Structure formats: structure tokens, C-alpha cells
Amino acid sequence: MLAALPCLVSACLVAACASTATGSGGTGSGGTAPSGTGPGGSGPVAAGDVAASPAALRVSPAASRATPRASQQPSAAATPLAGITVGIDPGHNGLNGTDPSFINHLIWNGRESETCDTTGTQTAGGYTEALFNFNVARYLRAALLADGARVVMTRTNNHGVGPCVDRRAQILNDSGARVAIDIHADGGPAWGRGFTVLEPVADGPNDHVIGSSERFGRDVRAALLARTSMPVSNYYGSNGVQFRNDLAGLNLTTIPKVLIESGNMVNATDAALLTSPRFQRQLAAALLAAILAFLGK
């Protein structure tokens, strides 16, 4: 079983690390980045940890894991998400391709059977979606912690297999999160560019969060347009939005959630952005802004 990420303690806030697990489905895949471990390299991260740095998006990963002195702790006014749990599902996992029998076994997605997960897509240069997804999730997690949130992630590293998309949904549902984001990138036609926000369709389990998920989707779309250079998709969805009824992560959610296809890894222009750490941090900052807007913070 994967170990949870270490718990950081501040002088202002003491938080115990809780264990959680995995989470969510989508159309893309790929990725790697430094972090903790979990079962098979795919275990969950419970974030009762305190923010490592109020400037988490502008510091190195090592710096963002350091425990600041009491004098450096953010004030209550600087932690708008204190007491709030946010869920993040970095789609796919770095070693999904090594265990096809597990990844291809069927699960119930709320409407029909689908495979446990996929490998995801990649750029022409071999940069995987799983790596992209995890890097953006790591930046977003650091920023959320800096704002006082408790963060639950469905996987803690990019060198594991799974978890399955239904299990990812359950982890986030069980986390007490007020909102969650599934992070992906797409593998579309080479000529196509842009991001698409995937939103759920009512199917029973998710009925009571359809309206709130659509509102969160509008916040995500607006934040990406305002804070990144990625345009809305010109090949998928309508004006940057697509409703999906065939993804476990959206069908099974009981909390407000959308899935972001952050760009097209097969398109050379999008790929140059998606593989850039600068853009990944920019995207994480946009997602943070969307979460704050959704929560009225």
C-alpha cells in the first residue's frame, strides 16, 4: 500500500494525515512527477497537511515541501480555504501500460461497463498525459494547501497502476470534498487545438450535483481563458464545453465536479504548452482561481 504524503505541521494549525485513495475517468492520459507512494504506486493522498508555502506556485517542489517557521505561516485572512476539502484526480497513471489485464478489466460506470482505466495519450515526443496530469495536480495541491485547504488526491505518484475510474470517484466522494477536478489532456486530431470542460449528465447518483457542476464548469472555463494562453477547443465540444454520460468519474460523482481536457497533446502548438512547467503552473493557478470563485472565496 502506498504511503501517504508526509504531514506538515504549522504553529497555527495542527492537522493529522488521513488516508484516502484514488480517482476518476476521462479521455486522455499520461504523466510523472515526484511525490509520495501508495499501494502499487497508486495510493491516495489525504491532505490534512498545512500549506508548505503561501507562494507555492512560484517555488520549487523541494521548497514547497519545507515546513516554514511560525513567523512565516499565512494569517487567517490569507487562508480563504481553511476547513474546506478539495479533491483532485490526476487522470491515468505512469505504469498503466504495464498491466493490461488489470487496466482492461470492466467496471460499472453508473450507466454501462467500461474499462478500469486507460494509458492516456502522449505528445509526438513521448511526453505522457499521465505525467502532465500529475504535475498539474501537484502544483494545484501546493497552491490549495497554501490557501489553507485540505486536499485529497486519487494517486500520490506517477509510477503506479490505477486505481480504476470507479474507485477514483469513490475516493473523492468519501473525502468530504466541497468540489473536485479531474485533470486530463486530450489526444485529438493533429490540426485541433484547445481545452474542453467535460460536465456530467444526470443519471441518478449525480443528480443533485448537476447544477453545481455546471456552475463550476463555467468558473473553470472562464479562469482558463483569463489566465492561460490555451484557447477553447476548435474540434471537441461546443465553445469549450462537452457533456458526457459515459465516464465513471462524472457519472458516479456525488460532489460538484468537472473534467478538464487541458489541451490536445497531438497538436504541436498545444503540446509545446502542455509540456512546459510554466504553463502547468499557470494552469494550476487558473484552476485554483476557479475553485475560489466557485466557493465564493
Side-chain angles (χ1 to χ4, degrees):
M1 168 169 205
L2 292 179
L5 290 179
C7 200
L8 301 177
V9 182
S10 79
C12 305
L13 192 67
V14 177
C17 283
S19 74
T20 45
T22 53
S24 156
T27 60
S29 152
T32 355
S35 190
T37 51
S42 61
V45 153
D49 5 10
V50 174
S53 164
L57 287 178
R58 298 189 298 277
V59 298
S60 68
S64 71
R65 289 192 293 268
T67 304
R69 294 175 298 180
S71 62
Q72 296 173 316
Q73 295 302 314
S75 67
T79 54
L81 297 178
I84 293 175
T85 299
V86 177
I88 306 175
D89 176 31
H92 313 289
N93 207 332
L95 294 183
N96 276 6
T98 67
D99 195 347
S101 63
F102 177 77
I103 290 303
N104 291 328
H105 84 264
L106 296 179
I107 57 89
W108 184 251
N109 73 7
R111 287 179 182 269
E112 59 190 357
S113 295
E114 69 169 293
T115 58
C116 161
D117 204 346
T118 68
T119 60
T121 190
Q122 62 181 30
T123 69
Y127 188 103
T128 67
E129 182 200 348
L131 174 56
F132 167 81
N133 298 340
F134 188 73
N135 282 346
V136 174
R138 182 169 58 87
Y139 290 131
L140 177 58
R141 175 182 180 272
L144 288 164
L145 291 175
D147 273 354
R150 174 178 179 266
V151 183
V152 174
M153 290 177 64
T154 60
R155 61 182 173 105
T156 62
N157 58 55
N158 193 52
H159 50 266
V161 175
C164 295
V165 289
D166 59 336
R167 176 61 182 146
R168 292 175 186 250
Q170 192 62 53
I171 287 163
L172 296 184
N173 289 345
D174 291 345
S175 71
R178 293 264 299 274
V179 64
I181 183 78
D182 294 352
I183 300 173
H184 285 259
D186 199 21
W191 54 266
R193 285 208 62 199
F195 73 84
T196 308
V197 180
L198 307 190
E199 300 185 3
V201 175
D203 64 359
N206 64 11
D207 285 3
H208 70 286
V209 296
I210 295 299
S212 53
S213 294
E214 290 180 10
R215 180 164 61 87
F216 180 44
R218 290 192 292 272
D219 291 330
V220 170
R221 180 185 179 281
L224 262 69
L225 287 175
R227 295 171 177 268
T228 79
S229 54
M230 187 68 73
V232 296
S233 176
N234 61 3
Y235 70 95
Y236 182 34
S238 175
N239 204 20
V241 176
Q242 175 68 45
F243 291 91
R244 292 286 296 266
N245 66 2
D246 57 342
L247 303 175
L250 299 181
N251 290 354
L252 300 175
T253 188
T254 57
I255 55 178
K257 185 203 286 187
V258 297
L259 186 154
I260 179 69
E261 293 284 14
S262 307
N264 179 12
M265 299 198 97
V266 179
N267 175 273
T269 303
D270 279 11
L273 288 173
L274 295 169
T275 58
S276 161
R278 181 177 182 274
F279 176 81
Q280 292 170 7
R281 290 191 295 269
Q282 194 179 61
L283 176 59
L287 295 176
L288 172 65
I291 290 166
L292 289 168
F294 175 76
L295 295 172
K297 302 296 183 179

